Amino acid sequence: MNNSSLQKARYEYSPKLPGMLRHGISEICVNEGAETQSVADQDKIKALFPNTYGKKEITFQKGQNTSEAKKQVVGVILSGGQAPGGHNVICGLYDALKATNKANVLYGFKGGPSGLINDDYLIFDDEYIDQYRNTGGFDIIGSGRTKLETNEQFAIVAEVCKKHGITAIVIIGGDDSNTNAAVLAEYFAAHNTGVQVIGCPKTIDGDLKNEDIECSFGFDTATKTYSELIGNIARDCNSAKKYWHFIKVMGRSASHVALECALKTQPNICLVSEEVAAKKMSLSEIADYIADSVEKRAAKGMNFGVAIIPEGVVEFVPEFSTLIHEINELLAGEKADAFNALPTWGEKYTFIENGLTKESMEVFAILPVAIQQQLFLERDPHGNVQVSLIESEKLFSALVGDKLRARKAAGTYAGKFSTLHHFLGYEGRCAFPSNFDADYCYSLGYNAFMLIQYGYNGYLSKVSNLSAPASEWVAGGMPITKMMNIERRHGEDKPVIKKALVELEGAPFKYFESHRDEWAEDTCFVYPGAIQYYGPAEVCDITTVTLALEHQK
Ligand code: FBP
């Protein structure tokens, strides 16, 4: 492998473990807490998970290790989108496993959950692992989005485990993957396979969090990377003083990423999808809100600014969701062929006009032509509009442009409005993990092995007290069923881990809300700069503003 000097230096970095895991394997014992209940729908979840429901929360502490001395053969998979620090989860798992018993074995199943089904694996050794310590990416074994959710798949996985003598599987994934980890754990228990399942909370989106899991890994590094770039753009913006930058950031439905970047960089505008939904804002209202900032700044001679747009925002605009729903219906089944056969956009437009309700047609009509066409051209394998591909940064800048033209005509606005567009997503998912993510991930992996060693099944590796120095972090495990409720998915009631959206009553949003009017009108940009790996702890080890504000409560 060709290595940069940073990569070589990062190989040597020793991730910090929680104080309670630093004593050496022989001195880590378990402190069992109270039995747990799911966050909602207790009777239904209990009935679905008769073998794994209601187990106790546990924490590790210093004391004689009383776990059974048996050889462990562990399999690990990475599931879903990349998130910085995934390699360190595997490194921590490997180090704890080998420190416990040199004869223990770690299998890495390749390409995500499908690797387990296809029995496609490698066996880790020191030389291989050492090339990936403290590095970004998921290339150590690859990842994938196949879902492990049917009994047929579970039976295959059980066979694969039996073939290799696997005693435990570690699933590194988001809310869906960890929901499936809980179902797999229940299957293994019900079928007396003797195989344990442990999950680790991953996703840059930050939407896998709850009263037990303070944050998913990767969120810290991804938001620091995006904030560096947003800060750089903001400084260019404040130097040239001639552009409004519309920056869309990844994060799927939740706006945690956008909000954290806003807290770090203090842009003029940051939309929060959850607020858009709560206030039932229309596209026109959102455009007016942004145009107000443009107008006020122009009145002060500042024809420039920065607006952050969360990836999922359009799904939260009620009238837009209705429009998407109607388009999906309009092109369902064979109707799509009739539409596609029309030779010109003009003819297609007439077809659309005849098929949509008056209200949806009014929404459709205000969209820029490029977005209108995107809604009809880029569709998923089920024929549905791919909302995540909609260039909402361009959509909002165009709608704001329309508003400003109208205001100019009315004589209320006399500024200039030149726009530039950016989408920040893949730039952050494989960055070198920050010290926080390097430490947190290594701890999650190390801790996952301790849960395996102590015989736990259906648990999420839990490391908490994360806004304190690592020495004060608390390591333990939480039954995944504790985080579950019943939700309607694809027409069926399903047990799932509750997805965390931005809470409008939460401290991060409240802080943002109390400052945003000033940020909208004045230039209050903050330039966070690049992630620092070496230097004082207050520069290098501090995690997100979101967590700091949440812990201030
Ligand atoms: P996960 O939920 O799997 O962690 O993925 C996060 C994410 O980066 C989202 O922010 C984004 O919408 C999506 O993945 C993009 O997916 P893909 O990598 O398949 O393009």
Side-chain angles (χ1 to χ4, degrees):
M1 203 186 257
N2 294 325
N3 296 328
S4 67
S5 47
L6 178 64
Q7 184 153 326
K8 281 185 203 145
R10 290 309 277 170
Y11 287 155
E12 304 306 322
Y13 177 77
S14 294
K16 298 183 272 301
L17 281 171
M20 58 184 57
L21 296 183
R22 290 182 190 178
H23 306 293
I25 298 283
S26 62
E27 286 187 70
I28 301 174
C29 74
V30 168
N31 182 13
E32 286 201 331
E35 287 179 354
T36 55
Q37 295 272 346
S38 59
V39 285
D41 308 305
Q42 288 85 6
D43 292 342
K44 286 184 184 164
I45 306 278
K46 189 175 180 182
L48 289 164
F49 295 89
N51 297 284
T52 50
Y53 184 84
K55 302 281 181 206
K56 293 174 177 165
E57 165 174 17
I58 71 113
T59 44
F60 291 112
Q61 61 183 34
K62 184 174 171 11
Q64 179 64 41
N65 186 327
T66 56
S67 63
E68 190 193 336
K70 71 166 187 178
K71 181 183 167 189
Q72 298 284 6
V73 180
V74 178
V76 62
I77 57 167
L78 291 160
S79 181
Q82 283 69 253
H87 288 169
N88 265 27
V89 180
I90 297 179
C91 294
L93 177 65
Y94 178 84
D95 287 352
L97 169 142
K98 289 291 181 189
T100 301
N101 181 351
K102 285 240 164 310
N104 286 345
V105 182
L106 182 61
Y107 282 72
F109 288 93
K110 295 186 196 168
S114 62
L116 255 178
I117 311 263
N118 302 330
D119 196 14
D120 184 10
Y121 64 89
L122 56 80
I123 295 177
F124 291 103
D125 59 20
D126 291 354
E127 195 190 341
Y128 189 79
I129 273 278
D130 287 349
Q131 300 174 69
Y132 291 94
R133 290 187 186 273
N134 308 302
T135 56
F138 276 7
D139 43 319
I140 189 168
I141 44 174
S143 186
R145 291 200 183 276
T146 305
K147 290 189 189 308
L148 265 188
E149 55 188 354
T150 65
N151 279 348
E152 292 71 29
Q153 290 174 319
F154 295 161
I156 296 171
V157 174
E159 273 309 306
V160 169
C161 290
K162 198 164 159 198
K163 175 176 161 198
H164 299 295
I166 286 176
T167 50
I169 299 283
V170 174
I171 295 181
I172 304 171
D175 53 336
D176 275 351
S177 306
N178 279 299
T179 292
N180 295 338
V183 183
L184 180 63
E186 178 63 31
Y187 178 95
F188 280 163
H191 290 78
N192 292 316
T193 58
V195 183
Q196 300 157 237
V197 182
I198 300 295
C200 285
K202 171 234 74 167
T203 177
I204 63 156
D205 299 346
D207 57 5
L208 171 47
K209 67 172 176 180
N210 47 51
E211 58 183 33
D212 297 306
I213 301 303
E214 293 178 9
C215 75
S216 53
F217 78 76
F219 178 69
D220 180 78
T221 309
T223 53
K224 280 179 174 148
T225 305
Y226 302 144
S227 298
E228 179 206 348
L229 297 173
I230 294 168
N232 294 351
I233 290 170
R235 199 148 212 172
D236 192 291
C237 172
N238 195 22
S239 306
K241 302 193 191 297
K242 60 178 181 181
Y243 295 120
W244 265 86
H245 293 265
F246 283 74
I247 308 172
K248 178 167 89 166
V249 292
M250 245 185 196
R252 216 181 274 282
S253 307
S255 306
H256 299 292
V257 171
L259 182 56
E260 171 65 19
C261 292
L263 293 170
K264 280 205 173 81
T265 60
Q266 303 188 177
N268 306 103
I269 295 289
C270 174
L271 300 181
V272 174
S273 308
E274 293 80 348
E275 184 184 28
V276 166
K279 293 184 173 167
K280 298 190 173 33
M281 289 174 84
S282 64
L283 291 177
S284 172
E285 283 166 335
I286 299 171
D288 265 324
Y289 167 66
I290 303 174
D292 287 348
S293 166
V294 177
E295 187 182 320
K296 282 182 191 149
R297 289 176 61 74
K300 293 182 177 182
M302 295 183 288
N303 289 300
F304 61 92
V306 171
I308 299 180
I309 315 288
E311 180 179 21
V313 67
V314 287
E315 286 174 69
F316 288 76
V317 178
E319 61 184 13
F320 201 85
S321 294
T322 310
L323 170 66
I324 300 292
H325 178 74
E326 285 189 25
I327 293 175
N328 288 339
E329 292 290 313
L330 187 61
L331 296 194
E334 288 169 6
K335 286 181 271 178
D337 298 335
F339 175 81
N340 291 333
L342 297 170
T344 66
W345 176 243
E347 283 163 271
K348 286 183 166 138
Y349 197 93
T350 309
F351 179 99
I352 296 164
E353 241 174 346
N354 292 334
L356 295 180
T357 59
K358 184 171 157 286
E359 293 74 23
S360 285
M361 194 56 213
E362 277 167 15
V363 177
F364 188 73
I366 63 166
L367 303 177
V369 176
I371 304 273
Q372 289 179 336
Q373 294 182 339
Q374 227 170 33
L375 290 177
F376 280 85
L377 297 178
E378 306 197 20
R379 312 174 63 71
D380 74 11
H382 307 289
N384 294 329
V385 174
Q386 288 188 273
V387 183
S388 65
L389 295 184
I390 294 170
E391 294 174 300
S392 43
E393 68 282 22
K394 293 188 180 156
L395 166 64
F396 286 110
S397 86
L399 295 179
V400 172
D402 291 344
K403 294 281 178 193
L404 294 171
R405 270 187 291 282
R407 292 181 189 198
K408 209 167 235 177
T412 56
Y413 163 76
K416 290 196 196 105
F417 183 62
S418 303
T419 54
L420 289 173
H421 305 102
H422 315 263
F423 170 42
L424 303 179
Y426 299 96
E427 293 83 346
R429 299 200 314 180
C430 285
F432 275 100
S434 61
N435 286 358
F436 172 82
D437 270 328
D439 299 345
Y440 181 40
C441 291
Y442 188 83
S443 302
L444 285 170
Y446 201 94
N447 191 52
F449 183 73
M450 295 318 300
L451 291 166
I452 292 168
Q453 185 64 17
Y454 273 100
Y456 291 100
N457 180 31
Y459 276 65
L460 205 57
S461 178
K462 171 178 168 177
V463 176
S464 52
N465 199 27
L466 295 173
S467 54
S471 57
E472 294 167 33
W473 290 357
V474 178
M478 184 57 75
I480 301 176
T481 51
K482 156 113 196 298
M483 300 162 202
M484 293 180 124
N485 68 166
I486 300 284
E487 286 177 24
R488 199 95 188 133
R489 298 267 174 102
H490 307 295
E492 271 180 75
D493 281 349
K494 291 264 184 197
V496 293
I497 297 178
K498 211 167 178 317
K499 200 185 261 305
L501 298 179
V502 168
E503 283 180 23
L504 301 183
E505 290 307 313
F509 182 78
K510 284 285 170 206
Y511 181 91
F512 166 69
E513 192 181 34
S514 64
H515 288 80
R516 65 176 162 189
D517 289 349
E518 187 196 346
W519 299 353
E521 218 171 310
D522 297 322
T523 300
C524 305
F525 301 150
V526 173
Y527 314 114
I531 297 176
Q532 300 297 310
Y533 300 95
Y534 301 97
E538 65 273 20
V539 177
C540 303
D541 294 353
I542 304 294
T543 185
T544 56
V545 183
T546 301
L547 210 54
L549 290 170
E550 282 171 348
H551 283 189
Q552 247 174 38
K553 280 186 286 181

